[in-house]
Amino acid sequence: MSHYLDTPIEYLKGIGPARADLLKTEIQVFKYGDFIYNFPFRYIDKSSFQLIKDLKTDGETVQLKGYLTSLELIKGANNRRRLVGLFKDPSGFVELIWFQRAKVLSEILQIGSEYVLYGTLKIYKGKKSFAHPEMELSEKVKKGVQRSFDPVYYTTEKLSSRGLDAKGIRKAMQALFEKMPAGAIHETLPSYLLERLKLIGKYQALKELHFPTSQSALEEAQKRMKFEELFFMQMRLLQTRNIRKQTIKGHVFEKVGEKFNRFFSEKLPFELTSAQKRVIKEIRADLGSGIHMNRLVQGDVGSGKTMVALMCMLIAIDNGFQNCMMAPTEILARQHYASVLEYVSGLGLKIGFLSGNVKGKKRKELLKMLKEGDIDILIGTHALIEDPVKFKNLGLAIIDEQHRFGVVQRAKLWGKNKTMPPHVLVMTATPIPRTLAMTLYGDLDVSIIDELPPGRKEVTTKHFTESRRPHVLNFMHHEIQKGRQIYVVYPLIEESEKLDLQNLNAGYEMLLQYFPPERFNISVVHGKMKPKDKDFEMERFVTGKTHIMVATTVIEVGVNVPNATVMIIENSERFGLSQLHQLRGRVGRGAEQSYCILMTSYKVSKEGKERIQTMVRTNNGFEIAEADMQLRGAGNIEGVQQSGYLDFAIANLATDTPILTAARHIAEKILSADPRLELPENLTLRNEMIRIQKKYKSYSRIS
Ligand code: ADP
Ligand code: MG
């Protein structure tokens, strides 16, 4: 339809084949239509200027107005030329320097003329300078189109060196709009939506985004394009879910039978929380419906997801099906295995365990039993999804700690049954913000366990710097005397692995002095140890033989030692929020009051401080997840990067919650009234969806 937007980018005025190649490799722009979606990331208000004397912050972007008073082309050692200049405003002067295109610029820039300068300030030893500032003659700025905002585009070093700096891109974008024939950009939202939501048209929105005429016009444009982006994403997710529900049948678990009932009346060691009951009910409704279940259960650490999983598996067993439950680490899988064994003892069920460490005859036997249907529940690690693992009739697959598994692995599980895919229940203890859930799991059904079992005392969280170490050590003594156990966790990342291990060892040595081996036992566990040694040390702590466990984050996931009441996190500023939250979740699992102590050095970055403060302020995983997203942006949240759902051109999940919520709500309404978009007024939507489907045709059906 719109030929113009399909034009290869090299034909745009001022681009040509060489720059076109750069645009392709550097920012994936192939056609006019790609280029137009390369939105400015900020706008300069052309009417306001800072004064040089007021500039204080290294790295800030500033706009100045003043005179270029000198300019000199200097030959460097390796024959490379650089251009240096002096720029003055009524309050002072700054140095300018260019390393690229020095010769060309020395001919263009005019000494003695008034310029508008835009660039990133550098302050070094009190001296203020700019490298590669953008310079525009003041009179040109004045003469230019009536506008107060200039778009600033993201660019790269390579693009800049070929003239496609923010200014160059701006020029090319101007050319694109100037030559655009009427109707080249067709409207993608039906008029009833535009009217109802008071959104401006697409052409107008795109134009205003690149060349805003006023602040309010810009905001209208942003609103329109954000809505469009989020709305079509929700339409796609919801359609995928609807199609899946219509076309993929699920095993019907119609009854609740003997195992479930006996477990419920004889074995259940506690009263279920009402959140657990509600979630089990939601799952049961899925399992009995004949529709295939693909459900996510979100629940904070300690909210009792394992019990929910177990009771669902019992339903599957009552209906003659097998189950599997997959965990991301061996330790966690073993712990699940142990607790499930204990829970169901006496019910006459067969529970199997499989990991990479189950080998030889044992493994062979297990696989044989599995295939013949003699195993009711198989618990294990990634090993579960390997090809030789075959079930007789897998009815329900449970994945614990979702964020550690990728889409591909889930897809493999899905394929474990020849006839019909098993129902899939994904459990995550890393709550994610609602907007993110709507996006990442927009085509899954979601259940939330938003309640902790009764009697839990909130973990008390404190932040200390090194000067309080004696106090912390005293406190540790005190807790150990009461019979409690303590975790001390050190960061360990690949880039600084050696140093991190040294820190851990130094910490261990220090603790040995305060907790001498004659009276105390200390376990040490880190990822560099042999699995056998690791398990041995872990076991000593789990069984209460050691008082303190010094560890790296290997203990992050799942370890359950109710007697441990203190979690000390060293260099806690180096951990991400979700990691800190996970670690804190290791304590507060018994009846005793528990503590989380966040140790930091004196100097902590602003972001680090905010993370620590968030931890001290709240125990609520959802709140922490939200704070995490606000701090780092949605794209940096663990497990999100690979998803590919978040390459928005303009929307921002951290800040656009209201727009997303509205978009989802409207998409739901439209699709429930007109699932196939067959009504005449939805023709525009239908066409756009077809175009989008083509783009995403490789889209996985169970992501
Ligand atoms: P998570 O959701 O982090 O996986 P778990 O399933 O490991 O949590 O449960 C944490 C602890 O809470 C376990 O010791 C479990 O036995 C206990 N628990 C679970 N549900 C309840 C409940 N309704 N009442 C009391 N304790 C419970
Ligand atoms: Mg768990």
Side-chain angles (χ1 to χ4, degrees):
M1 239 208 293
S2 51
H3 278 310
Y4 186 70
L5 293 186
D6 291 332
T7 319
I9 194 69
E10 61 181 282
Y11 296 112
L12 191 58
K13 189 176 154 201
I15 299 292
R19 289 197 181 113
D21 280 346
L22 266 187
L23 281 171
K24 284 171 206 167
T25 52
E26 293 283 288
I27 57 173
Q28 288 76 53
V29 165
F30 297 85
K31 303 180 297 185
Y32 286 18
D34 304 326
F35 195 50
I36 208 170
Y37 273 92
N38 178 38
F39 297 135
F41 68 91
R42 52 162 283 160
Y43 301 84
I44 320 169
D45 183 349
K46 280 280 173 182
S47 57
S48 88
F49 303 98
Q50 283 143 288
L51 285 174
I52 290 174
K53 74 167 167 52
D54 297 334
L55 302 182
K56 298 257 150 55
T57 322
D58 185 58
E60 89 181 295
T61 34
V62 297
Q63 181 166 260
L64 304 170
K65 190 177 192 165
Y67 290 87
L68 190 62
T69 56
S70 76
L71 205 57
E72 194 183 352
L73 201 56
I74 298 174
K75 231 183 199 159
N78 46 3
N79 230 1
R80 278 182 66 100
R81 277 178 295 208
R82 63 181 195 274
L83 182 66
V84 294
L86 221 50
F87 182 87
K88 252 183 150 127
D89 78 357
S91 76
F93 70 90
V94 289
E95 276 182 22
L96 312 180
I97 186 159
W98 290 268
F99 298 100
Q100 265 132 19
R101 302 173 72 224
K103 180 89 184 356
V104 185
L105 284 167
S106 74
E107 283 155 15
I108 298 173
L109 292 170
Q110 305 164 12
I111 298 175
S113 294
E114 194 187 41
Y115 278 94
V116 170
L117 175 155
Y118 179 78
T120 309
L121 174 69
K122 184 153 184 63
I123 303 183
Y124 184 69
K125 292 189 176 163
K127 225 158 82 181
K128 298 169 186 174
S129 67
F130 290 86
H132 292 271
E134 282 181 49
M135 304 284 286
E136 199 163 0
L137 280 170
S138 273
E139 58 187 273
K140 263 201 187 161
V141 177
K142 276 183 219 136
K143 254 195 350 213
V145 219
Q146 276 296 332
R147 63 162 193 265
S148 51
F149 297 95
D150 254 359
V152 183
Y153 293 94
Y154 167 79
T155 177
T156 67
E157 198 124 322
K158 277 189 186 156
L159 285 170
S160 294
S161 71
R162 300 299 300 267
L164 285 175
D165 53 6
K167 197 164 130 194
I169 292 180
R170 197 186 308 155
K171 263 191 164 156
M173 195 65 76
Q174 238 152 7
L176 189 152
F177 272 93
E178 271 159 25
K179 291 268 149 53
M180 192 183 310
I185 292 173
H186 60 264
E187 184 53 63
T188 38
L189 292 175
S191 49
Y192 72 89
L193 271 186
L194 294 179
E195 266 163 47
R196 197 190 315 154
L197 301 169
K198 299 198 173 56
L199 296 174
I200 61 173
K202 187 162 183 173
Y203 170 75
Q204 200 194 343
L206 286 172
K207 180 132 196 220
E208 283 288 344
L209 271 179
H210 289 290
F211 305 106
T213 50
S214 71
Q215 180 67 33
S216 62
L218 174 61
E219 279 164 20
E220 288 301 314
Q222 285 168 332
K223 186 174 126 196
R224 150 76 208 226
M225 292 312 293
K226 283 175 175 195
F227 177 83
E228 160 146 2
E229 200 164 34
L230 295 169
F231 172 73
F232 282 111
M233 174 188 76
Q234 288 304 321
M235 288 288 282
R236 190 158 60 82
L237 290 167
L238 290 170
Q239 263 199 339
T240 309
R241 186 178 77 175
N242 292 350
I243 290 170
R244 193 186 67 226
K245 285 194 167 173
Q246 283 159 14
T247 53
I248 302 175
K249 295 249 178 320
H251 304 287
V252 183
F253 300 169
E254 56 199 2
K255 61 172 191 226
V256 167
E258 188 240 335
K259 302 290 183 209
F260 184 96
N261 287 332
R262 260 187 66 202
F263 178 80
F264 194 80
S265 55
E266 294 168 25
K267 298 270 164 198
L268 190 61
F270 37 66
E271 169 108 22
L272 294 174
T273 64
S274 48
Q276 282 172 320
K277 281 184 201 156
R278 188 189 68 239
V279 170
I280 291 173
K281 225 168 153 181
E282 284 166 2
I283 296 168
R284 262 186 64 184
D286 282 358
L287 297 178
S289 71
I291 291 170
H292 176 256
M293 177 175 78
N294 206 3
R295 186 172 281 275
L296 176 74
V297 173
Q298 279 202 66
D300 219 334
V301 270
S303 61
K305 293 184 291 293
T306 318
M307 183 51 71
V308 170
L310 176 63
M311 295 187 69
C312 297
M313 293 196 283
L314 291 175
I315 298 176
I317 294 168
D318 275 340
N319 287 274
F321 287 92
Q322 292 173 291
N323 300 270
C324 72
M325 185 166 173
M326 181 161 79
T329 65
E330 170 114 17
I331 292 169
L332 184 56
R334 281 193 188 279
Q335 219 162 48
H336 278 327
Y337 177 64
S339 46
V340 168
L341 266 186
E342 195 184 311
Y343 281 142
V344 303
S345 72
L347 285 183
L349 297 179
K350 290 218 188 58
I351 320 291
F353 179 83
L354 183 68
S355 77
N357 291 330
V358 179
K359 288 181 188 135
K361 214 172 125 203
K362 234 172 145 186
R363 187 184 187 96
K364 232 172 151 177
E365 233 161 70
L366 181 75
L367 293 183
K368 186 163 168 273
M369 284 174 77
L370 199 62
K371 209 171 152 190
E372 288 169 1
D374 293 337
I375 300 263
D376 298 303
I377 298 176
L378 179 66
I379 297 175
T381 60
H382 296 73
L384 290 191
I385 53 175
E386 282 161 18
D387 280 338
V389 181
K390 295 246 162 31
F391 292 81
K392 183 171 179 222
N393 57 354
L394 179 62
L396 175 62
I398 294 175
I399 308 176
D400 195 15
E401 305 294 348
Q402 135 81 15
H403 66 294
R404 305 213 158 204
F405 291 104
V407 172
V408 180
Q409 288 162 318
R410 274 182 277 150
K412 271 194 172 177
L413 249 185
W414 175 284
K416 279 283 164 204
N417 258 17
K418 266 181 249 97
T419 47
M420 227 187 256
H423 293 295
V424 177
L425 190 66
V426 171
M427 305 198 298
T428 169
T430 313
I432 56 173
R434 223 161 46 89
T435 52
L436 212 55
M438 269 192 248
T439 315
L440 289 177
Y441 309 118
D443 68 331
L444 299 192
D445 296 304
V446 178
S447 290
I448 296 180
I449 309 182
D450 50 5
E451 186 186 349
L452 294 182
R456 294 275 167 83
K457 294 203 179 75
E458 285 230 322
V459 179
T460 302
T461 303
K462 298 263 189 222
H463 170 213
F464 291 130
T465 49
E466 207 48 46
S467 62
R468 299 295 297 280
R469 180 70 68 186
H471 171 74
V472 172
L473 288 164
N474 268 341
F475 178 68
M476 290 170 73
H477 261 285
H478 190 73
E479 283 293 303
I480 290 175
Q481 252 153 35
K482 285 202 296 189
R484 307 282 100 80
Q485 289 165 284
I486 297 174
Y487 296 102
V488 181
V489 177
Y490 283 83
L492 180 103
I493 56 168
E494 240 170 86
E495 295 89 74
S496 53
E497 195 175 86
K498 254 194 167 150
L499 201 69
D500 287 346
L501 281 175
Q502 271 173 25
N503 277 343
L504 179 140
N505 283 325
Y508 173 58
E509 297 289 328
M510 185 265 294
L511 286 175
L512 278 180
Q513 300 194 346
Y514 287 87
F515 300 94
E518 304 83 65
R519 289 167 46 217
F520 300 95
N521 295 315
I522 306 182
S523 294
V524 179
V525 176
H526 57 77
K528 289 283 126 179
M529 289 163 70
K530 287 199 192 107
K532 225 175 73 200
D533 299 341
K534 206 158 72 182
D535 286 351
F536 175 76
E537 286 290 288
M538 207 75 146
E539 191 62 27
R540 291 208 308 151
F541 189 72
V542 171
T543 51
K545 293 195 182 84
T546 56
H547 302 96
I548 302 175
M549 152 111 85
V550 177
T552 55
T553 40
V554 284
I555 61 154
E556 186 189 334
V557 169
V559 189
N560 191 23
V561 183
N563 189 46
T565 54
V566 184
M567 166 64 67
I568 297 172
I569 306 177
E570 301 287 343
N571 293 117
S572 57
E573 73 273 17
R574 288 180 51 200
F575 291 88
L577 262 177
S578 74
Q579 248 184 335
L580 289 172
H581 182 60
Q582 285 283 329
L583 285 170
R584 179 167 60 186
R586 298 305 109 209
V587 296
R589 303 195 143 227
E592 306 300 323
Q593 175 63 49
S594 290
Y595 305 87
C596 174
I597 297 174
L598 304 171
M599 299 299 295
T600 70
S601 53
Y602 301 104
K603 270 183 110 177
V604 178
S605 71
K606 188 164 156 271
E607 228 201 90
K609 247 185 225 143
E610 280 188 52
R611 284 198 297 267
I612 304 282
Q613 281 163 1
T614 305
M615 288 296 293
V616 173
R617 187 181 70 234
T618 178
N619 274 295
N620 181 317
F622 285 93
E623 230 176 273
I624 287 169
E626 186 66 42
D628 199 18
M629 184 165 79
Q630 298 299 339
L631 277 176
R632 295 193 297 159
N636 291 316
I637 304 292
E638 201 180 339
V640 167
Q641 292 93 333
Q642 336 82 304
S643 75
Y645 279 124
L646 299 175
D647 354 324
F648 296 119
I650 187 165
N652 177 348
L653 291 186
T655 50
D656 294 332
T657 313
I659 302 182
L660 174 57
T661 312
R664 174 149 185 118
H665 182 69
I666 291 164
E668 267 167 358
K669 255 172 96 174
I670 292 176
L671 284 175
S672 75
D674 184 14
R676 292 167 192 280
L677 300 175
E678 288 161 336
L679 295 174
E681 67 257 38
N682 286 331
L683 184 66
T684 327
L685 288 181
R686 189 190 158 104
N687 286 338
E688 181 63 9
M689 290 301 289
I690 290 169
R691 200 186 65 80
I692 291 173
Q693 294 299 358
K694 272 188 203 144
K695 215 168 107 188
Y696 289 95
K697 60 177 177 290
S698 58
Y699 176 64
S700 153
R701 58 178 179 164
I702 56 149
S703 65

